[in-house]
Amino acid sequence: MPINEPSPNRPRIERLWQRDLPARLVPAWVGLAAAAGFYRIGVGARHLYWRMMKRDAPMLTVSVGNLTVGGTGKTPFTLFLARRLQGHGLRVGIVSRGYHRARSKARAELVADGGQLKISPEEAGDEPAMMAKSFSGPIAVARRRLDGIELLAKLGPLDAVILDDAFQHVRLNRDVDLVLVSNERGFGNGWMLPAGPMRESIGAVGRADAIVVMNSGTDASSIRPSQMKKLTARKVLHATVRPRALLVIDNGVWRETPPGLAGRRVLAVSGLADSSAFLAMLRELDADLVAVFDYPDHHAYTNADWQAIVNAMRDTDLVVTTEKDLVKLERFPFPRDSLYALRLEVTMDAAEARALDELIIGRITAKTAADA
C-alpha cells in the first residue's frame, strides 16, 4: 500500500512503544503492563533453565545481538565483522536462525559457501540470502545455532563463527557477546514486550563483552543519560551505517553503481521493522520520494504486490529497495534498469575497530592455546 510516510503503516503498538507509560495507567495500558510483567518472568525462567543446560560449540563463537525488537543494523554489522576478520586471515562462518524462512525438516541447512547460494531465499530467509551475495565464507541457518555450527564444522576448520541475532540464544555458550544499540531508536519507553520494545531489561547488558552504539548518520540520540550510564558499565564502541552504493541486477548478477539519486523520482519499497532510517538515507541522497510502499518486516512479496509496484512506477524514474528485499523482488520481471537496492556499509573509527579486533582475536588466540 503506497503511503507518504512510514509511520501510519506501522502497527499502532509499535508507535506506543516510543511513549512513556502514563503515571496513571488507563485500562489499555494496564493490560500491556501486566503482560510485560509475565513476559519478564518467562524470560527470567527461560534464562535460568538454559544456564543449567548450556552447550559448548566446537569453535569460537561471536554473538551479534540486541535488546530490542526492530532493526539495529545487526545483519550489516555481522557482515562487516565477518569480512573484517577474514581480512586478518581468519576462516570465518556465519550462522543465522533465518527468520520467516520456509519450514524444513533439516535441523540445519547450508545457505551458501564461496558466495554461491545453495538454497532459495525462501528456504534460507531473506537476511542469510542477502549476506550470501557479499560474503565468501560459509553461511548456515538453524533454529538451534549449535546445529548450524556443527554443520559448518563438517565443511572444514573455522577460526570463528559469527551468530547473527543470538544474544537471547542463551542455550549456547558464546566466547564473545556483542550487543548493538540503535542511537536513533534507543530503548523506546524502556518496557519489555508487549508494553515496550525490550526483549530483555537493559540490565542484560551485563552479559555482554562490548556494546556497539549504531548510528545512521544523525547527531540526535534517543538513548537517555540514565540508560547510557548502564551501558558504560561495559566496553562501549561506536559504528555508523551509511549508504555505500546502489545495486542493480545485470544478467542475474548484482552490480554496484554510485548512489546518485539527486533529483530523481523514486518509489521506495521496503519490508522492515522500521523503515524510517532507510527513507532518511534516500532523502539525504536528495531523492525525490514520489511514493513509499511500506510492507511488514520480512514481507513475502506476491504477484499482487509486484503489480501494485509496477503500476505505481509510471510516475517515477526508478524503484529503490533494501538488499534483503531485493533477494525476494529480483524474481519478478521489472523493466530493465528500473529496480535498485541501497547497499549499506558499516564503518568504525580506526581506534575502536582495533579495540574490537583485539577483543575477538585475543579470545581466538586464548581458545587456540587452551585447546592445544
Side-chain angles (χ1 to χ4, degrees), residues 11 31 33 41 44 46 49 56 66 81 97 104 113 117 123 132 146 149-150 158 177 237 257 269 312 323 331 369:
I41 292 170
R46 176 179 177 273
Y49 173 77
D56 291 317
N66 64 3
L81 182 58
R97 184 172 182 179
S104 171
D113 196 8
L117 205 60
E123 294 169 308
L146 183 59
I149 294 170
E150 290 175 345
L158 292 173
D177 262 311
L237 304 173
T257 64
V269 177
E323 284 191 73
R331 66 185 177 91

Side-chain angles (χ1 to χ4, degrees), residues 14 24 27 44 74 80-81 105 112 156 158 175 184 189-192 228 231 253 260 294 305 310 320 340-341 358 364:
E14 290 189 20
R24 188 174 181 180
K74 292 186 300 294
F80 161 80
L81 182 58
K105 294 181 180 179
L158 292 173
D175 297 280
E184 287 78 18
N189 59 19
W191 278 69
M192 292 183 70
M228 183 58 75
L231 298 184
V253 177
D294 195 27
D305 296 327
V310 169
V320 180
Y340 292 78
E358 290 168 3
I364 293 174

Side-chain angles (χ1 to χ4, degrees), residues 68-99:
T68 59
V69 297
T72 52
K74 292 186 300 294
T75 300
F77 189 85
T78 295
L79 276 172
F80 161 80
L81 182 58
R83 290 195 292 249
R84 185 169 182 86
L85 294 178
Q86 278 188 333
H88 288 289
L90 299 173
R91 298 161 297 185
V92 182
I94 296 174
V95 171
S96 170
R97 184 172 182 179
Y99 288 100

Side-chain angles (χ1 to χ4, degrees), residues 61-317:
T61 56
V62 181
S63 165
V64 175
N66 64 3
L67 296 181
T68 59
V69 297
T72 52
K74 292 186 300 294
T75 300
F77 189 85
T78 295
L79 276 172
F80 161 80
L81 182 58
R83 290 195 292 249
R84 185 169 182 86
L85 294 178
Q86 278 188 333
H88 288 289
L90 299 173
R91 298 161 297 185
V92 182
I94 296 174
V95 171
S96 170
R97 184 172 182 179
Y99 288 100
H100 291 265
R101 67 188 179 100
R103 290 187 177 181
S104 171
K105 294 181 180 179
R107 295 171 65 180
E109 291 188 276
L110 183 65
V111 173
D113 196 8
Q116 296 297 314
L117 205 60
K118 304 291 185 181
I119 56 179
S120 70
E122 291 74 23
E123 294 169 308
D126 49 21
E127 289 168 341
M130 179 201 84
M131 289 190 286
K133 295 283 189 175
S134 57
F135 177 64
S136 61
I139 302 173
V141 289
R143 187 173 182 275
R144 288 198 330 155
R145 305 311 197 283
L146 183 59
D147 293 332
I149 294 170
E150 290 175 345
L151 175 61
L152 294 188
K154 295 176 183 177
L155 301 178
L158 292 173
D159 296 302
V161 171
I162 301 175
L163 310 177
D164 184 21
D165 194 12
F167 188 63
Q168 284 74 39
H169 193 71
V170 292
R171 65 171 65 184
L172 177 67
N173 273 320
R174 285 75 61 102
D175 297 280
V176 181
D177 262 311
L178 303 176
V179 170
L180 274 52
V181 178
S182 168
N183 188 55
E184 287 78 18
R185 291 168 62 92
F187 300 100
N189 59 19
W191 278 69
M192 292 183 70
L193 291 165
M198 303 294 290
R199 294 175 170 183
E200 298 184 73
S201 69
I202 194 170
V205 297
R207 303 200 314 268
D209 293 283
I211 311 298
V212 182
V213 177
M214 302 292 290
N215 195 309
S216 62
T218 62
D219 293 327
S221 175
S222 295
I223 304 173
R224 301 171 186 179
S226 60
Q227 295 169 338
M228 183 58 75
K229 185 176 180 180
K230 292 181 180 179
L231 298 184
T232 53
R234 315 304 295 170
K235 180 191 293 290
V236 177
L237 304 173
H238 300 81
T240 301
V241 183
R242 301 296 298 151
R244 169 179 158 179
L246 286 175
L247 295 172
V248 64
I249 303 168
D250 186 2
N251 293 321
V253 177
W254 290 12
R255 178 172 54 82
E256 287 190 4
T257 64
L261 294 176
R264 304 189 73 180
R265 296 172 300 168
V266 170
L267 168 60
V269 177
S270 64
L272 302 169
D274 182 359
S275 61
S276 59
F278 169 63
L279 298 178
M281 288 178 186
L282 294 180
R283 291 191 179 98
E284 288 172 17
L285 293 171
D286 293 325
D288 177 11
L289 286 184
V290 176
V292 173
F293 278 59
D294 195 27
Y295 293 97
D297 197 18
H298 301 287
H299 182 65
Y301 291 93
T302 64
N303 284 327
D305 296 327
W306 165 73
Q307 190 62 61
I309 295 168
V310 169
N311 289 341
M313 288 172 58
R314 295 169 185 166
D315 298 322
T316 65
D317 296 318

